[in-house]
Amino acid sequence: MKKISICDMTLCPSKGTYSFKEKIEIARQLGNLGVDVIEIPEIVNVRTDALLVKTVSSFVKKSIISVEAGGTEEGVNNAASALINTAMPRIRISLPVSTVGMEYGYHKKAQKMLDLISKIVSYAKEKCDDIEFCALDSTRAEAGFLPKVAKAAIEAGAKTFTVCDSEGIMMPDEFASFVAEFIREAEISEETTVGVMCKDSNGLAAASAILAVKNGASAVKTASGSDVTDLSTFAGIIKNCGTDCGFCSGLKTTQLGRIISQIKRFSNGAAVEKEPASTISTENSIRLDSKDGIDAVIAAVRMLGYDLSAEDETKVFEEFRRVAEKKTVGAKELDAIVASASLQVPAAYKLISYFVSSGNIISSSAQIKLERDGREINGICMGDGPIDAAFITIEQMIGHHYELDDFQIQAVTEGKEAMGSAIVKLRNNGKLYSGNGISTDILGASIRAYLNALNKIVYEEA
């Protein structure tokens, strides 16, 4: 009978927070329920957060206490210090492995992220024997990169490697196949525990998790009142189907209903978490417009923590001027500009202009003008919607069709003049190429994202 390790994230809510007393009571109930791991978020306030870990450790003796350390040595030191008297301590390292997450969140390309993973896991291993590495946004990582991440983390000392569907973008059967292929390609040994974390965006997290277990995973992250696999639902699946499927857990199912009800009372009353004052201060201090020169823009970029090359500084300033013609640029807009314009390959195709028409009584069409090797290329095509028309036009202009593997759009900022961010993933010869684009016009952002991914393909082929 295969035992599934239940790693509960209830104390790590993505929205809202609990009082100190509520956290203690939730941890006590989770311990009574028999979860294998109680996860605690990264220590921000050394005094109060460390006190929580030490207090929980005083009465939880049969569950692992896992503290997030992020990706810094300071985070590792804080976690190790708080766990000093814990019966079963674990340090958790969570870092993004998708191209967007690495470049936008940590300003690193693939090899630099692998180096950071090896370094920080090795450092954590010196402080604690039990290390878990969580590969955030695993399902959007470039093809072949996740096994390299696993090798780096495991060789550095990680005992548990967790595959995270951070956006809930896969169907359960697709995610199960993804996990099985990863285990095979990474050549994971029996000494390493493979865990999964599934976002419940479409209500399918529990199904994704149980199918992943059938395909080789042995640990599942759950929570009560959160946006990942629901603890109660997953426990019910194990109880009802475990015997036939060969699964079991250490959960005390007879107490499940009562304990979950008590935890959910705290979850429903959780207050909205306030934004840190330091973040508010930084955002309010950056206000740029079209009159600001490159020195002012680069100074603001450095305030956000970026250290760019001279070439990337020029690219960022050019993109800033384009955006600043339409609106004032604050911290969030500037952050998105840096992610879109810097850390990129040379642009084989450059966007000169575009015109897109669409409506409920006319067919959508796009007219686009690009530059390639100093000469202009024009194209016009129709499609099923404005974005489809734009992408088909680009394909007609370059004379090649690439499979569109993924397309996402979201608002970077708020209000009527919000900047839009688009992510496009193109597949070429089995490999994924991710592109990011920003604009006050979501169509413009989508076209720029497509060209960004296309330029990566051209650069690699060249």
Side-chain angles (χ1 to χ4, degrees):
M1 187 73 71
K2 180 178 181 178
K3 184 179 183 296
I4 304 174
S5 178
I6 306 297
C7 310
D8 194 85
M9 300 175 64
T10 302
L11 291 175
C12 307
S14 58
K15 297 180 181 179
T17 186
Y18 303 104
S19 68
F20 189 89
K21 183 179 179 181
E22 288 171 340
K23 292 175 182 177
I24 296 297
E25 186 56 29
I26 289 173
R28 189 188 305 278
Q29 297 293 354
L30 291 173
N32 291 338
L33 186 58
V35 301
D36 299 277
V37 183
I38 298 175
E39 297 194 351
I40 295 177
E42 187 173 358
I43 293 174
V44 179
N45 186 314
V46 176
R47 198 179 81 167
T48 58
D49 294 346
L51 178 60
L52 170 67
V53 177
K54 293 175 181 177
T55 304
V56 171
S57 299
S58 67
F59 58 81
V60 175
K61 302 296 183 182
K62 295 183 180 180
S63 300
I64 294 172
I65 305 297
S66 171
V67 177
E68 175 62 41
T72 66
E73 291 185 358
E74 181 183 7
V76 171
N77 290 335
N78 289 339
S81 177
L83 289 166
I84 192 71
N85 294 317
T86 305
M88 293 189 287
R90 171 182 289 179
I91 293 179
R92 201 167 69 254
I93 308 292
S94 301
L95 290 169
V97 297
S98 65
T99 301
V100 172
M102 291 187 295
E103 293 186 359
Y104 187 79
Y106 281 79
H107 326 308
K108 293 184 182 296
K109 289 191 178 292
Q111 186 56 51
K112 292 291 185 181
M113 181 56 76
L114 289 175
D115 294 341
L116 173 60
I117 291 169
S118 296
K119 178 183 176 182
I120 200 66
V121 173
S122 297
Y123 185 78
K125 188 69 173 181
E126 298 173 1
K127 309 288 183 179
C128 180
D129 184 63
D130 189 358
I131 306 298
E132 176 186 5
F133 181 82
C134 297
L136 303 178
D137 213 9
S138 297
T139 52
R140 296 199 294 177
E142 295 287 353
F145 183 62
L146 193 59
K148 295 179 181 178
V149 173
K151 182 178 180 181
I154 294 168
E155 287 183 351
K159 290 185 175 181
T160 301
F161 188 94
T162 299
V163 177
C164 303
D165 186 7
S166 305
E167 300 299 325
I169 61 175
M170 282 189 170
M171 296 297 287
D173 58 336
E174 294 174 335
F175 182 68
S177 298
F178 179 88
V179 171
E181 184 178 357
F182 157 71
I183 293 174
R184 184 172 59 255
E185 290 183 352
E187 299 179 345
I188 303 293
S189 67
E190 294 181 358
E191 289 75 30
T192 302
T193 299
V194 175
V196 293
M197 189 280 284
C198 304
K199 191 80 171 287
D200 202 24
S201 303
N202 301 307
L204 299 172
S208 296
I210 202 68
L211 287 179
V213 169
K214 293 184 71 174
N215 279 265
S218 54
V220 174
K221 292 191 183 296
T222 64
S224 182
S226 186
D227 55 357
V228 299
T229 303
D230 181 69
L231 174 59
S232 180
T233 302
F234 193 74
I237 292 175
I238 297 174
K239 179 182 178 181
N240 298 327
C241 308
T243 302
D244 293 335
C245 295
F247 303 143
C248 67
S249 72
L251 295 176
K252 299 174 183 176
T253 54
T254 55
Q255 304 178 36
L256 181 67
R258 176 181 59 81
I259 290 177
I260 292 297
S261 296
Q262 291 176 341
I263 292 175
K264 284 187 174 180
R265 279 202 294 270
F266 295 124
S267 302
N268 294 335
V272 176
E273 189 173 7
K274 294 183 179 179
E275 193 171 10
S278 59
T279 303
I280 297 172
S281 175
T282 302
E283 289 188 0
N284 290 339
S285 64
I286 296 179
R287 285 292 181 271
L288 303 168
D289 56 37
S290 58
K291 297 178 182 178
D292 287 295
I294 188 170
D295 290 340
V297 173
I298 299 307
V301 168
R302 289 170 181 164
M303 284 179 62
L304 295 176
Y306 293 96
D307 184 13
L308 304 179
S309 66
E311 182 182 1
D312 277 344
E313 287 180 352
T314 302
K315 291 179 181 178
V316 166
F317 182 63
E318 290 176 355
E319 185 71 5
F320 160 78
R321 288 197 303 175
R322 182 182 67 81
V323 174
E325 289 177 357
K326 299 181 180 180
K327 63 173 296 176
T328 300
V329 175
K332 289 184 178 180
E333 291 91 345
L334 189 58
D335 209 18
I337 288 171
V338 172
S340 175
S342 68
L343 307 169
Q344 304 292 347
V345 301
Y349 290 95
K350 296 181 180 179
L351 178 64
I352 298 176
S353 64
Y354 63 91
F355 175 78
V356 181
S357 62
S358 183
N360 64 341
I361 58 173
I362 62 171
S363 298
S364 298
S365 64
Q367 183 175 353
I368 299 176
K369 182 184 293 184
L370 303 177
E371 179 185 319
R372 175 73 194 267
D373 297 331
R375 63 185 181 88
E376 291 185 0
I377 310 173
N378 293 279
I380 182 169
C381 277
M382 301 174 68
D384 296 328
I387 291 176
D388 182 59
F391 290 176
I392 292 176
T393 301
I394 296 174
E395 289 181 351
Q396 179 254 338
M397 294 167 73
I398 65 176
H400 198 291
H401 169 74
Y402 295 103
E403 179 185 349
L404 182 62
D405 190 86
D406 192 16
F407 172 63
Q408 300 178 40
I409 55 175
Q410 61 183 9
V412 174
T413 56
E414 300 174 352
K416 292 187 295 182
E417 296 182 342
M419 283 178 60
S421 172
I423 297 172
V424 168
K425 280 189 178 182
L426 301 179
R427 187 177 293 275
N428 181 41
N429 295 327
K431 184 175 181 180
L432 283 178
Y433 296 82
S434 178
N436 177 261
I438 59 165
S439 177
T440 50
D441 173 9
I442 202 63
L443 288 172
S446 303
I447 294 171
R448 293 177 191 280
Y450 191 101
L451 291 176
N452 186 226
L454 173 62
N455 285 330
K456 291 180 179 179
I457 296 175
V458 175
Y459 179 76
E460 184 161 308
E461 289 179 342

